[in-house]
Structures are given as C-alpha cells and as structure tokens.
Amino acid sequence: MKKRIWANLNSIDRVKAFIAMTNQLSCEIDVCSGRYVVDGKSIMGLFSIDLSVPVELVVHGTPEEVADFEEKSLPFQVERES
C-alpha cells in the first residue's frame, strides 16, 4: 500500500523529531521536494533538500504500517498546497 501525505519539516527540531519517529517504524518513507526524493529515515538526506516549503511524504507498507505512520506523523502534517 502507498499513501501520500504533505508535511512541514521547516526547523531543525522538527526534522530531528521526524527522524526519531520514522526510525521506530518498519515501513519505507520517501520525502519528495521538487524533483528530489530522499529516504525519510536519513537525517543527511532530509537536510539535502529544500525544507523551507512543505514536502510530500510517500509511505510504502502494509495498511497497518501506513495507518500507524499516518497517526504518528499528525504533528508534521499540513494541507497540500495548490
């Protein structure tokens, strides 16, 4: 199963909290910013993309893993920008 979510990771503290959360999960998470895609469990990857704007999270996993990620990522989620 695949799910797309928009998130705001625009500060060092938010990135550190996001990484701590994602590394506790078994699903795969891609973070997309423009044409770049990085591993959502890699702090170096996240800091290599533009985090001044909301990013798209693409979660790959079982329905249970995706639901768990969706719940745990609520503090980071934002509405998709047009």
Side-chain angles (χ1 to χ4, degrees), residues 2-68:
K2 182 181 356 183
K3 174 84 176 186
R4 295 178 184 275
I5 298 169
W6 287 85
N8 191 349
L9 303 175
N10 63 348
S11 74
I12 292 171
D13 290 334
R14 287 179 73 80
V15 171
K16 289 187 336 189
F18 181 79
I19 291 293
M21 182 269 297
T22 60
N23 279 297
Q24 295 176 1
L25 303 173
S26 57
C27 57
E28 291 186 28
I29 301 139
D30 294 329
V31 179
C32 309
S33 177
R35 64 183 191 160
Y36 299 101
V37 179
V38 298
D39 183 355
K41 297 182 181 186
S42 167
I43 196 161
M44 294 297 289
L46 286 178
F47 282 125
S48 72
I49 60 175
D50 181 9
L51 297 174
S52 65
V53 295
V55 293
E56 183 179 22
L57 309 176
V58 182
V59 186
H60 307 270
T62 66
E64 295 80 17
E65 290 171 333
V66 171
D68 189 32

